[in-house]
Amino acid sequence: MKKILVRVLLVLLVAALGFGGFVYYMVHNSTSQIYSYNKKTNKSSDDKTTSKQAVTYLLLGTDTGTLGRSYKGRTDTMIVMVINPKSKTTTMVSVPRDTKIDFDDVTIKINAAYSYGSSGTAMEAVEKLLNIKLDGYLLVNMKGLEQLVDAVGGVTVTSPLTFNYDNKSFIKGQSYNLNGSDALKFSRMRYDDPNGDYGRQMRQQQILTGVIGKLKKNPTTVISQKFLDAVGKNVRTDVSLGSVKNLATDYRDAGTTIKSDQLHGTGQNIDGQSYEVMPDSEIARVHSLLQSAIDAK
């Protein structure tokens, strides 16, 4: 569920890439809430988007209901995204929430780095793990999924398997027009999926594809004030409006091809805690993948 919220935020970036100045104008007039808590934006993003270089962002999804909460929560979704205007590609790599890392000489799951500090702390953890430089973050809470899907008029998906979740039934091979509530149910189920969390991620990607399809078909209608209001209530970022404008005007072709990957580890129980332990070879693979996406011409 949290991954979908982060991917819906990606939709905004893809929309900016695909529909240029129109989206920027609407975002510019609807984002006071997004920046209200943090006046400092990321200079690295500004510098790179001004010179039309590839940018690398960290998409974060929290496990709590509101951004004004007293309980900070954890970032159960962490996705590294590279947007490259030269190769005309966008690359996403998911980092499992239970990835084992060392944090201030203590072993923790990577999703706890945010709760120990801030979005900046989460960025530092991912940078250290993958040996990369991030140019900014985008933080989304889990409350807005229904609002965001409803704001685009719902999405259509074909179920890859038969299952029931929260009094909603899905049949393999059958297509469904989902409102926000049902999209939440479609994307939540994990334990009855033979592929576990990886299967859930695939269903979440279907929701993303459905939203992008709506954006491409009729952007001037779908990217409405209702949509942007939903985003404004559920998104925080240090990527400036200047960077968004640059993305909208100079990076639009990068939204044409979207590539997805995942950091894969092995489940291990350590001192009573379940972790995903990443072998050095897998970390090296993902580092090379991201670096290649950044360097591609």
Side-chain angles (χ1 to χ4, degrees):
M1 176 175 60
K2 297 93 175 180
K3 293 183 178 67
I4 269 296
L5 281 170
V6 174
R7 289 188 174 111
V8 170
L9 180 56
L10 173 62
V11 169
L12 271 188
L13 292 178
V14 171
L17 300 177
F19 307 116
F22 166 75
V23 173
Y24 170 72
Y25 173 79
M26 295 194 71
V27 171
H28 181 71
N29 286 278
S30 306
T31 52
S32 59
Q33 294 180 80
I34 294 176
Y35 294 100
S36 62
Y37 80 111
N38 180 16
K39 303 300 181 182
K40 185 177 181 181
T41 56
N42 198 302
K43 186 176 183 298
S44 177
S45 176
D46 291 340
D47 291 344
K48 289 185 178 180
T49 59
T50 298
S51 57
K52 302 178 185 179
Q53 300 178 53
V55 286
T56 307
Y57 298 131
L58 179 62
L59 310 184
L60 299 166
T62 66
D63 62 351
T64 56
T66 63
L67 287 171
R69 59 199 175 276
S70 57
Y71 166 61
K72 181 180 290 188
R74 299 186 176 198
T75 50
D76 274 2
T77 294
M78 308 180 83
I79 301 175
V80 179
M81 179 177 68
V82 177
I83 306 174
N84 189 325
K86 296 179 180 178
S87 64
K88 301 179 181 179
T89 59
T90 297
T91 302
M92 294 189 297
V93 177
S94 297
V95 178
R97 63 181 187 175
D98 292 338
T99 298
K100 176 180 172 292
I101 63 168
D102 291 325
F103 182 85
D104 288 344
D105 298 322
V106 177
T107 297
I108 65 170
K109 299 177 181 182
I110 199 167
N111 69 339
Y114 170 72
S115 63
Y116 275 92
S118 63
S119 298
T121 309
M123 285 178 60
E124 291 172 8
V126 173
E127 288 178 329
K128 181 180 178 181
L129 175 69
L130 299 176
N131 189 26
I132 58 171
K133 174 67 173 67
L134 294 167
D135 303 309
Y137 71 85
L138 301 102
L139 173 70
V140 189
N141 72 67
M142 62 184 279
K143 187 177 181 180
L145 175 61
E146 292 186 33
Q147 298 174 29
L148 291 167
V149 173
D150 284 337
V152 301
V155 296
T156 300
V157 301
T158 300
S159 183
L161 73 165
T162 297
F163 67 95
N164 296 297
Y165 189 86
D166 196 13
N167 297 318
K168 177 67 177 180
S169 297
F170 298 94
I171 299 174
K172 181 177 180 179
Q174 184 168 326
S175 294
Y176 298 88
N177 297 313
L178 304 180
N179 59 20
S181 176
D182 288 340
L184 190 69
K185 296 172 184 178
F186 184 76
S187 64
R188 264 181 168 173
M189 190 277 290
R190 175 173 52 137
Y191 294 111
D192 292 334
D193 192 313
N195 294 314
D197 195 48
Y198 293 111
R200 180 169 61 175
Q201 290 177 26
M202 292 298 294
R203 280 177 277 114
Q204 292 168 347
Q205 291 178 13
Q206 287 181 262
I207 301 293
L208 171 63
T209 300
V211 175
I212 292 177
K214 286 291 187 70
L215 288 167
K216 288 183 176 180
K217 184 176 181 180
N218 198 349
T220 57
T221 298
V222 174
I223 305 175
S224 62
Q225 193 63 49
K226 180 180 179 182
F227 181 83
L228 292 172
D229 285 347
V231 172
K233 293 175 182 177
N234 296 288
V235 175
R236 298 294 181 265
T237 183
D238 67 345
V239 178
S240 72
L241 281 175
S243 286
V244 173
K245 180 180 179 180
N246 293 334
L247 289 166
T249 56
D250 300 323
Y251 289 64
R252 62 183 64 184
D253 289 340
T256 302
T257 301
I258 301 176
K259 302 178 180 179
S260 298
D261 207 317
Q262 297 167 315
L263 184 67
H264 287 270
T266 57
Q268 294 186 24
N269 190 291
I270 301 174
D271 295 330
Q273 292 286 322
S274 297
Y275 293 93
E276 285 292 310
V277 178
M278 303 300 164
D280 291 341
S281 58
E282 175 65 358
I283 292 176
R285 181 190 72 83
V286 170
H287 169 80
S288 296
L289 184 151
L290 291 170
Q291 194 61 54
S292 295
I294 294 169
D295 296 337
K297 306 297 184 182

